[in-house]
Amino acid sequence: MTAETIARVHIVLNDIEPTIWRRVDVPVTASLKMLHDIIQAAMGWENYHLWNFEAGDRRYGVPDPAWPDNGMAAARNVKLATLLDRGVRELLYTYDMGDDWRHTITVESIGPGEPDQQYPRFVDGERRCPPEDVGGLPGFEMFLDAMADPVHEEYHRLREWYGGPYNADGIDERFTRRALAAIASRRHAGKIAYLKSRTQ
């Protein structure tokens, strides 16, 4: 198989120190809906809240039929390559409009991928993302304080809510690689099925 064009993408969860980040190799033919799936898998989110991308004055996500004029373009219909061709190298990705997790997505480089490699692919990253529904940045700060202090009044309740200890410094790299590999496998199977349908 020939090498496809790959964008190396840096994902940063905004306004948190030390920085929570991931680096992922993404095929430029991926739709923004697939990029959403990739970010969810890479960061460790659970993908059950609303989300959107912003690039300049344009927004991409899942349009609401009840609000056809709200300016939201369908993310599944827009490929990353289209934005790159327009000169876009940075996107804002917001997940969970209540907790308002904003991510800066930066395209660091574009080039040929490895011919026998399936993409997307996890490269590296640091620190665990916040738990779902923790209450945004203020809730996450309180959660971290409580989970680090067994005598904190919220320690036992939050530990039970979370389901155990929380290691802010570690990410489950094996799980992350598997989650991205599952997307890559589905994408590869789809490409093979498409090629078969073209030859029948």
Side-chain angles (χ1 to χ4, degrees), residues 100-175:
D100 198 35
W101 298 115
R102 297 180 182 222
H103 309 65
T104 298
I105 315 300
T106 306
V107 177
E108 296 184 320
S109 63
I110 304 167
E114 299 169 26
D116 298 325
Q117 174 69 45
Q118 292 182 16
Y119 293 95
R121 176 178 65 177
F122 176 77
V123 179
D124 56 3
E126 289 184 346
R127 297 179 57 78
R128 188 177 300 275
C129 80
E132 295 276 359
D133 301 321
V134 76
L137 290 170
F140 185 46
E141 289 173 8
M142 190 274 283
F143 174 82
L144 290 175
D145 289 344
M147 293 292 272
D149 180 5
V151 299
H152 192 286
E153 61 181 335
E154 292 291 319
Y155 174 80
H156 293 290
R157 182 185 71 82
L158 287 172
R159 187 181 167 104
E160 182 178 344
W161 172 78
Y162 182 67
Y166 177 86
N167 178 11
D169 294 322
I171 62 173
D172 188 341
E173 191 168 310
R174 187 175 169 193
F175 176 84

Side-chain angles (χ1 to χ4, degrees), residues 20 22 25 38 49 55 64-65 93 95 97 112 116 150 153 156 184 192 197:
I20 299 171
R22 305 288 185 267
D25 286 340
I38 290 167
H49 290 291
D64 186 341
Y93 170 77
Y95 173 62
M97 304 316 172
D116 298 325
E153 61 181 335
H156 293 290
I192 295 299
S197 71

